[in-house]
Amino acid sequence: MKYQTLLARSFSKHEQKKLGYWALLACLFIALSFFINFKPFMGPLSVLNLRLSTGEDEKLHLFDDTDSSLQIAKETINSTSIVNDTGSSHEEAEIMSSALTVNDTDSSHGESEIRDTEIIVNNATSRSQEVVVFKESLAQNMKTNDSSNPPQFVNEKDTSMVNNTNSSLPEATDANAGTKNSTVEPPLCTFMGRSDFCEIKGDIRIDGNSYTVFIVSSEIDILTAENTSWCIRPYARKGDQAAMGAVREWTVKLVAGASHILPQCAQNHSVPAILFSAGGYSGNHFHSFADIIVPLFLTSRPYNGDVQFLITNGLTAWISKFKTLMNALSRYQPISIDYRQDIHCYDSMTVGLIRRTSKELSIDPSNSPYSMKDFRKFLRSSYSLKRTTAIKIGNVSRKRPRLVIISRKRSRAFTNVGEIVSMAKRLGFRVVVAEPDADVSGFAKIINSCDVMMGVHGAGLTNMVFLPEKAVLVQVIPIGGTEWLSKTYFEEPAKDMNIRYLDYKIRVEESSLIHQYPADHVVLRDPSEIWKQGWSAVQSIYLSKQNVTLDVNRFRPTLVKALELLHQ
């Protein structure tokens, strides 16, 4: 009554009625405007914990709240029950799709990153509709970043080589650019008995100063990954602590595009890369082949030369020694990557070398597209070795077989080389005495020209890889319980190379140790007791202090057997 009295004093009945109509229309207009403008945001916004404000442009503004956004991302991806609500409009789906942006790997300056505040979920009808829209938007917007699966370690049996065998790759370029245009894929890392390696595709950046391989990835991938970094020692002798202790450890790390630790590319390369170590036992000729050269052949051969080598622990002498083989496997200059200040970037690379067998100096053709026959063919091609097969002695042929005696200076040397040469010549051999040196190419030609090679157990016998097929290897085994080493390192590999194998085990009287220890000393009487003291004790006595004086009369039947094998 009080309000009616006030209205009656101020307005006539006609004016009151007119004012009521206008007030009703104003209320309807306000309600309609509210529903039109705010309909997409009628869901329970508290779930995302977004803060809303209005400005002069009368639009909604979203402020960053990283914690809640990442939480909803995790909940959505991990959701196991998704119910599709067909009642949502096409317009709403478009809003959801356009509202989600993901990391663009084309930018290396961090300008394109996942903005948590741009993940807007429509919950107008149900929580399940949120999940559907988010999933559909994620699928549409991640076409250029196919990295939704987390990185994983797989067993050897479940892993196949991911190598690009395309021989028409473009020339490598060193562009001073800071961007990489590539599709990011999760690294496929493999743990095996003798080696670990990661095969990677995407925006890859190599920081030699910190020994880190950065993989630019989306925040979604990093959130869902079981692991975001891996430590790799890229040398194929895993399990040998002494060897691996001399190998630099590298980190393979997933990093978001906007991360402050992501380095910018100084040089972009258009070919894949292989990062490996020339550390470990690389100073030993045998281990250079068994642990590096053979695994490098297996890892790089599928690229047909379109690959670049990044070498860690790379001593100049080692790189120079095996330059011919590396040039045969790669058309590009190898890079010594340690301590480099410039960042090298690639679209594809392998960190570590592939070694799928525990056997020494061998390739298992059952789980590799290559064999030791392929490897030896590669060596003959690289060093221009002419002979593929050893001589076959017949009744008609008067050509004499050629014998090479591997000479050593510091230890395990023959002290009566002259007697051995004279006896071999009487049997019909042409004899060459040679000592391996840094000139691998020159020594390879000497070995390839021979039909029989003999020497005391040691790294020099590794040069049997250059022998022609059906040649004969004669290994002289010193005292000291090294029979298993002789079998593992040379007898078994020789058979895999189609090389006939013979050995000769010396007696105590043929060892120089008889002049250093009493006849009843444990060193001569029972080497197994020395083995109980560890490898260092064995090496210091039987491998470092022992020379051999062959009993030529006792050794003669071994060379006669070699001649018989050449008749077959």
Side-chain angles (χ1 to χ4, degrees):
M1 291 296 295
K2 183 178 180 180
Y3 295 111
Q4 291 179 358
T5 304
L6 291 173
L7 289 173
R9 292 177 181 176
S10 302
F11 304 97
S12 65
K13 282 187 176 183
H14 177 72
E15 291 174 333
Q16 291 178 34
K17 189 174 183 180
K18 186 176 180 180
L19 181 63
Y21 288 148
W22 279 108
L24 179 60
L25 288 173
C27 289
L28 291 174
F29 178 77
I30 292 172
L32 181 62
S33 299
F34 180 84
F35 279 100
I36 290 176
N37 288 291
F38 295 97
K39 183 178 179 181
F41 310 100
M42 288 298 290
L45 295 179
S46 59
V47 174
L48 287 178
N49 196 21
L50 299 177
R51 291 180 287 147
L52 309 179
S53 71
T54 56
E56 295 178 353
D57 56 0
E58 298 181 355
K59 294 181 179 180
L60 287 175
H61 295 273
L62 307 178
F63 295 89
D64 287 346
D65 189 348
T66 305
D67 293 339
S68 58
S69 300
L70 298 182
Q71 180 181 358
I72 191 65
K74 285 185 175 180
E75 292 176 354
T76 305
I77 294 174
N78 294 329
S79 176
T80 58
S81 176
I82 300 177
V83 182
N84 190 7
D85 185 354
T86 57
S88 60
S89 65
H90 177 70
E91 179 183 357
E92 292 173 354
E94 290 181 344
I95 292 175
M96 295 306 132
S97 179
S98 61
L100 178 66
T101 61
V102 296
N103 185 38
D104 181 1
T105 59
D106 290 349
S107 171
S108 62
H109 298 284
E111 295 176 353
S112 55
E113 60 179 325
I114 294 181
R115 298 187 58 84
D116 298 325
T117 58
E118 291 177 344
I119 301 177
I120 303 174
V121 179
N122 182 12
N123 195 11
T125 57
S126 68
R127 171 66 177 168
S128 60
Q129 184 178 346
E130 290 178 20
V131 179
V132 172
V133 176
F134 185 89
K135 287 279 189 178
E136 292 175 349
S137 301
L138 182 62
Q140 289 182 355
N141 286 275
M142 293 189 70
K143 290 181 179 179
T144 60
N145 189 2
D146 184 18
S147 56
S148 58
N149 294 324
Q152 55 185 326
F153 283 102
V154 297
N155 293 326
E156 178 182 353
K157 294 181 180 179
D158 300 327
T159 307
S160 58
M161 289 198 301
V162 187
N163 284 332
N164 186 352
T165 57
N166 185 1
S167 60
S168 60
L169 289 175
E171 293 296 321
T173 58
D174 293 336
N176 294 325
T179 61
K180 293 288 292 175
N181 297 319
S182 59
T183 300
V184 177
E185 295 183 4
L188 181 62
C189 295
T190 304
F191 280 162
M192 296 193 300
R194 278 301 200 184
S195 69
D196 299 336
F197 58 92
C198 289
E199 295 171 303
I200 313 166
K201 290 185 178 180
D203 186 346
I204 306 163
R205 309 184 186 192
I206 316 299
D207 183 3
N209 200 39
S210 66
Y211 320 123
T212 305
V213 177
F214 292 99
I215 308 171
V216 180
S217 187
S218 71
E219 292 188 14
I220 295 294
D221 288 334
I222 295 175
L223 282 171
T224 59
E226 295 180 4
N227 296 300
T228 58
S229 66
W230 300 263
C231 293
I232 300 290
R233 293 185 187 269
Y235 182 77
R237 199 168 188 81
K238 179 183 172 184
D240 189 321
Q241 294 182 357
M244 301 307 286
V247 176
R248 183 164 286 117
E249 184 177 80
W250 281 71
T251 300
V252 177
K253 188 177 185 65
L254 296 179
V255 179
S259 174
H260 67 280
I261 67 171
L262 183 66
Q264 303 305 310
C265 297
Q267 296 187 51
N268 287 328
H269 301 272
S270 60
V271 296
I274 296 174
L275 190 155
F276 68 92
S277 171
Y281 295 148
S282 62
N284 179 283
H285 195 61
F286 174 85
H287 289 288
S288 286
F289 273 90
D291 303 343
I292 304 177
I293 300 300
V294 173
L296 183 63
F297 169 80
L298 291 175
T299 309
S300 63
R301 194 61 169 173
Y303 292 101
N304 197 27
D306 286 316
V307 66
Q308 187 166 42
F309 297 145
L310 308 180
I311 306 175
T312 183
N313 305 114
L315 297 177
T316 304
W318 189 93
I319 295 174
S320 177
K321 181 177 180 179
F322 293 103
K323 182 179 180 180
T324 299
L325 294 182
M326 288 192 290
N327 288 344
L329 291 171
S330 170
R331 286 192 277 269
Y332 304 99
Q333 187 72 19
I335 298 175
S336 185
I337 198 66
D338 293 343
Y339 308 113
R340 294 189 70 102
Q341 299 299 321
D342 52 339
I343 304 301
H344 290 260
C345 298
Y346 296 86
D347 293 330
S348 174
M349 78 174 299
T350 300
V351 180
L353 297 177
I354 298 173
R355 182 176 177 181
R356 298 183 181 276
T357 178
S358 59
K359 294 179 66 176
E360 299 289 354
L361 201 60
S362 182
I363 297 173
D364 184 358
S366 67
N367 57 23
S368 171
Y370 305 102
S371 65
M372 283 304 292
K373 183 174 182 178
D374 298 318
F375 177 70
R376 293 195 345 115
K377 182 179 179 181
F378 160 73
L379 292 179
R380 289 195 297 269
S381 174
S382 302
Y383 289 119
S384 301
L385 306 180
K386 297 179 180 180
R387 301 180 69 209
T388 58
T389 307
I391 188 175
K392 183 176 182 180
I393 302 174
N395 295 328
V396 179
S397 176
R398 295 182 179 180
K399 195 170 184 180
R400 294 188 300 163
R402 189 175 171 98
L403 167 68
V404 58
I405 300 174
I406 301 298
S407 175
R408 297 175 61 98
K409 289 182 179 178
R410 288 178 291 183
S411 67
R412 282 166 284 157
F414 291 119
T415 61
N416 59 335
V417 174
E419 291 182 54
I420 300 171
V421 171
S422 298
M423 183 265 293
K425 286 182 177 180
R426 289 195 297 270
L427 289 176
F429 284 102
R430 292 177 296 161
V431 182
V432 177
V433 179
E435 181 176 7
D437 56 19
D439 182 12
V440 180
S441 179
F443 200 76
K445 289 179 172 62
I446 294 174
I447 299 299
N448 183 253
S449 70
C450 297
D451 306 288
V452 179
M453 183 175 83
M454 64 169 286
V456 182
H457 170 81
L461 296 185
T462 309
N463 292 288
M464 67 180 175
V465 296
F466 305 121
L467 284 171
E469 292 193 16
K470 297 185 178 180
V472 181
L473 171 67
V474 179
Q475 178 176 202
V476 177
I477 303 175
I479 67 168
T482 59
E483 287 82 3
W484 71 271
L485 281 173
S486 302
K487 181 178 180 178
T488 302
Y489 281 27
F490 300 110
E491 179 181 350
E492 293 178 352
K495 294 177 180 178
D496 289 342
M497 299 180 204
N498 196 19
I499 294 173
R500 273 80 72 93
Y501 175 84
L502 298 171
D503 58 37
Y504 175 82
K505 299 175 184 178
I506 72 170
R507 296 183 301 183
V508 172
E509 292 77 14
E510 295 172 272
S511 171
S512 64
L513 294 178
I514 198 172
H515 304 296
Q516 303 175 42
Y517 298 92
D520 61 345
H521 196 280
V522 66
V523 167
L524 304 176
R525 179 173 44 82
D526 191 1
S528 63
E529 291 298 319
I530 305 300
W531 276 93
K532 293 178 181 179
Q533 300 176 26
W535 171 251
S536 296
V538 173
Q539 185 180 38
S540 65
I541 297 174
Y542 297 114
L543 300 181
S544 298
K545 295 181 179 180
Q546 182 174 197
N547 290 322
V548 174
T549 303
L550 277 185
D551 181 341
V552 292
N553 293 324
R554 182 171 179 264
F555 178 69
R556 185 178 182 278
T558 303
L559 285 187
V560 171
K561 179 64 176 177
L563 284 173
E564 293 175 358
L565 291 174
L566 292 176
H567 277 86
Q568 298 177 4

